[in-house]
């Protein structure tokens, strides 16, 4: 759990290029550049600088011109570089922009792309042989231009440790919360998501685009069922239990989960249980059997396996990284 301003804020540079989409720039500044009073901290955890190859940048479709931008040298002191997307992805980026991206990656900066910003990362040569994603409408073009990249076109985001790529514009919110979760734990990410009024946890492997018609019957929302399940995670819930609660067949429940969430009931249930386990560890619970039981993961062995799969960390490593001292820097739940 973050403890305030005992450490200098993590520097984030957002690279604004000609034709950049305003939405993704807004996501970057909202996520990492604004004060976060909901965390109850004494100082910011991130510090954002907007940088560009020119003092003024005309945004996508000329909606407005952004001025007062820092130069590209700002990437040289950043711990994270965010590259938003733009619509003219077949037009090469300027050599100074590509050089700045390569320079940042070479010095160990975490590089993040939102939407079609992945084209710039691929053009800079950062994605060859790596997994990445981009907006589904541009998947075929991306493959044609960058065949050496292992494109995953049907996911929200891809985390390759030092390089992270988000799909469509709204998936930038998912990736932004994932970065908060990775940097400061599930408890803090949940507080930020509540401030944004946005889903706290959508796994990166969920589909970025769910093609479904507007429902004819308005009472098929999964919302009430999901809320009920979140209150009963410690119980041995099965897909059959969820279907019975919703008064539908398991097959119908699967269709609704696929249609509304782009995932399966079991995958959603497991993700919620892992998220709860993370919160329990962050709140100071050290007994793995208790965490496993209260989160519905059953055994300490299953907890270890699921936590490592979702976060890349063992329970002890997760506690060391995110476990807060009781009463200090706590985030309300």
């Amino acid at each position: 759990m973050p403890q305030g301003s005992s450490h200098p804020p993590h520097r984030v540079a957002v690279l604004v290029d000609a034709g950049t989409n305003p939405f993704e720039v807004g996501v970057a500044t909202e996520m990492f550049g604004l004060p976060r009073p909901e965390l109850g901290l004494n100082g910011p955890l991130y510090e954002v600088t907007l940088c560009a190859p020119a003092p003024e940048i005309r945004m996508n479709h000329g909606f407005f011109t952004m001025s007062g931008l820092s130069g590209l040298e700002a990437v040289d002191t950043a711990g994270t570089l965010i590259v938003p997307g733009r619509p003219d992805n077949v037009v090469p980026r300027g050599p100074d922009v590509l050089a700045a991206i390569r320079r940042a990656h070479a010095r160990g900066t975490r590089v993040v792309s939102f939407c079609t910003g992945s084209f710039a990362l691929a053009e800079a040569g950062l994605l060859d042989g790596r997994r990445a994603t981009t907006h589904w409408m541009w998947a075929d073009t991306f493959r044609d231009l960058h065949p050496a990249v292992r494109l995953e076109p049907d996911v929200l985001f891809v985390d390759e440790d030092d390089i992270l790529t988000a799909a469509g514009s709204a998936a930038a919110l998912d990736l932004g919360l994932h970065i908060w979760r990775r940097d400061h734990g599930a408890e803090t990410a949940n507080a930020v998501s509540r401030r944004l009024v946005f889903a706290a946890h959508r796994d990166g492997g969920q589909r970025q685009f769910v093609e479904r018609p507007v429902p004819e019957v308005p009472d098929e929302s999964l919302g009430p069922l999901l809320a009920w399940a979140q209150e009963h995670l410690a119980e041995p819930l099965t897909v059959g239990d969820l279907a019975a609660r919703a008064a539908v067949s398991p097959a119908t429940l699967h269709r609704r989960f696929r249609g509304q969430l782009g995932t399966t009931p079991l995958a959603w249930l497991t993700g919620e249980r892992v998220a709860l386990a993370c919160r329990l560890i962050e709140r100071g619970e050290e007994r793995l059997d208790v965490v496993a039981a209260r989160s519905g993961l059953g055994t300490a062995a299953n907890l270890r396996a699921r936590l490592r799969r979702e976060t890349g960390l063992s329970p002890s490593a997760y506690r060391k990284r995110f476990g807060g001292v009781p009463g200090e820097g706590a985030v309300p739940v």
Side-chain angles (χ1 to χ4, degrees), residues 14-146:
V14 181
L15 202 165
V16 183
D17 198 3
T20 291
N21 292 326
F23 182 86
E24 286 106 63
V25 177
V27 170
T29 54
E30 171 72 32
M31 275 284 178
F32 304 110
L34 299 185
R36 304 243 73 96
E38 67 272 21
L39 301 183
L41 304 178
N42 297 322
L45 296 174
Y46 298 96
E47 178 184 279
V48 170
T49 299
L50 301 180
C51 62
E56 294 188 349
I57 293 293
R58 191 168 182 263
M59 304 298 285
N60 182 13
H61 281 77
F63 285 129
F64 59 87
T65 297
M66 187 173 289
S67 60
L69 301 163
S70 298
L72 292 177
E73 65 275 4
V75 307
D76 298 326
T77 57
T80 296
L81 171 64
I82 297 177
V83 182
R86 69 179 198 189
D88 50 347
N89 296 295
V90 298
V91 178
R93 273 71 178 169
D96 48 353
V97 170
L98 298 178
I101 295 172
R102 295 187 190 105
R103 197 165 66 243
H105 183 249
R107 64 180 291 273
T109 298
R110 177 172 59 188
V111 181
V112 178
S113 69
F114 288 167
C115 196
T116 57
S118 52
F119 278 80
L121 272 53
E123 193 175 347
L126 272 58
L127 298 181
D128 287 357
R130 287 180 176 255
R131 296 184 307 121
T133 192
T134 195
H135 193 288
W136 61 271
M137 287 184 63
W138 287 92
D140 290 341
T141 302
F142 189 99
R143 287 194 186 95
D144 291 342
L145 292 174
H146 308 291

Side-chain angles (χ1 to χ4, degrees), residues 7-8 20 45 49 61 86 91 93 132 191 224 227 231-232 238-239 241 252 259 267 269 271 277 292 296 299 321 323:
H7 300 287
T20 291
L45 296 174
T49 299
H61 281 77
R86 69 179 198 189
V91 178
R93 273 71 178 169
E231 295 296 324
H232 296 80
T238 65
V239 174
D241 295 328
T252 297
L269 194 58
T299 66
R321 181 170 179 179

Side-chain angles (χ1 to χ4, degrees), residues 285-304:
E285 180 55 69
E286 297 184 356
R287 298 164 295 176
L288 294 189
D289 56 338
V290 173
V291 174
R294 290 182 60 187
S295 63
L297 291 173
T299 66
N302 190 41
L303 168 63
R304 290 189 186 94

Side-chain angles (χ1 to χ4, degrees), residues 176-246:
L177 285 173
H178 173 76
I179 291 171
W180 269 99
R181 193 161 48 243
R182 206 176 91 165
D183 289 354
H184 302 293
E187 198 82 34
T188 301
N190 285 348
V192 174
S193 74
R194 284 195 297 273
R195 172 78 181 279
L196 294 171
V197 196
F198 189 74
H201 181 82
R202 289 203 297 169
D203 184 81
Q206 288 186 218
R207 293 178 61 194
Q208 61 170 285
F209 178 70
V210 180
E211 190 165 5
R212 64 186 178 96
V214 175
E216 295 180 3
V217 182
D219 60 355
E220 292 187 352
S221 169
L222 290 171
L225 176 64
L226 302 184
W228 176 85
Q230 287 169 332
E231 295 296 324
H232 296 80
L233 292 175
E235 301 174 15
L237 295 179
T238 65
V239 174
D241 295 328
L242 295 179
R245 177 72 184 183

